[in-house]
């Protein structure tokens, strides 16, 4: 049974911070590239940040310098530290586990809502 469970979303004021977590079970976590994606109403799902099994990271230009992705293989958990949040960051954030070779072994969480508003 594979599960990706996101947590940490919520309502925050502009300029505030949130820390998202994605806890995985049922996979060999350490061999997966992990990523955060987001989708706002009417928009396509977009990559926010990605981290390889060895810790190499990539960020969308819109979040670079504000967000930090990390992973703890001992806890089967990925994190996204979100600072200096803007209203345009409002979206549902999804956790993704990418096997990289076998697409049938790629998985998604159910998402967590992040709302940045006054």
């Amino acid at each position: 049974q594979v599960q990706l469970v996101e947590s940490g979303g919520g309502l925050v004021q502009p300029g505030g911070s949130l820390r998202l977590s994605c806890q995985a079970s049922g996979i060999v976590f350490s061999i997966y590239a992990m990523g955060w994606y987001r989708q706002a109403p009417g928009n396509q799902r977009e990559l926010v940040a990605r981290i390889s099994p060895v810790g190499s990271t990539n960020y969308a230009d819109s979040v670079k310098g504000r967000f930090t992705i990390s992973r703890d293989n001992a806890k089967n958990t990925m994190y996204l530290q979100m600072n200096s949040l803007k209203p345009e960051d409002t979206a549902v954030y999804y956790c993704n586990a990418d096997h990289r070779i076998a697409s049938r072994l790629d998985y998604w969480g159910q998402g967590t809502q992040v709302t940045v508003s006054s």
Side-chain angles (χ1 to χ4, degrees), residues 40-95:
N43 289 15
Q44 290 188 296
R45 189 172 297 186
E46 64 175 351
L47 176 67
V48 177
R50 189 175 186 270
I51 184 166
S52 79
V54 296
S56 179
T57 59
N58 294 100
Y59 297 91
D61 288 342
S62 60
V63 309
K64 194 170 296 182
R66 300 188 296 122
F67 292 8
T68 303
I69 190 171
S70 61
R71 66 191 294 162
D72 186 339
N73 287 345
K75 297 181 178 179
N76 284 6
T77 303
M78 173 184 62
Y79 306 95
L80 185 68
Q81 179 65 47
M82 308 165 67
N83 298 327
S84 301
L85 283 161
K86 304 174 180 179
E88 50 262 46
D89 295 318
T90 296
V92 178
Y93 284 70
Y94 296 92
C95 176

Side-chain angles (χ1 to χ4, degrees), residues 80-118:
L80 185 68
Q81 179 65 47
M82 308 165 67
N83 298 327
S84 301
L85 283 161
K86 304 174 180 179
E88 50 262 46
D89 295 318
T90 296
V92 178
Y93 284 70
Y94 296 92
C95 176
N96 170 257
D98 180 7
H99 190 273
R100 299 177 293 166
I101 296 173
S103 61
R104 67 183 178 89
L105 300 179
D106 293 348
Y107 302 98
W108 292 90
Q110 291 300 303
T112 185
Q113 177 71 48
V114 172
T115 302
V116 184
S117 177
S118 298

Side-chain angles (χ1 to χ4, degrees), residues 4-45:
L4 302 177
V5 181
E6 300 99 335
S7 61
L11 176 64
V12 66
Q13 294 183 347
S17 297
L18 286 173
R19 191 194 195 203
L20 305 183
S21 298
C22 172
Q23 187 166 7
S25 60
I27 63 171
V28 183
F29 183 81
S30 61
I31 71 170
Y32 280 77
M34 301 295 297
W36 289 100
Y37 291 72
R38 68 187 182 188
Q39 187 169 19
N43 289 15
Q44 290 188 296
R45 189 172 297 186

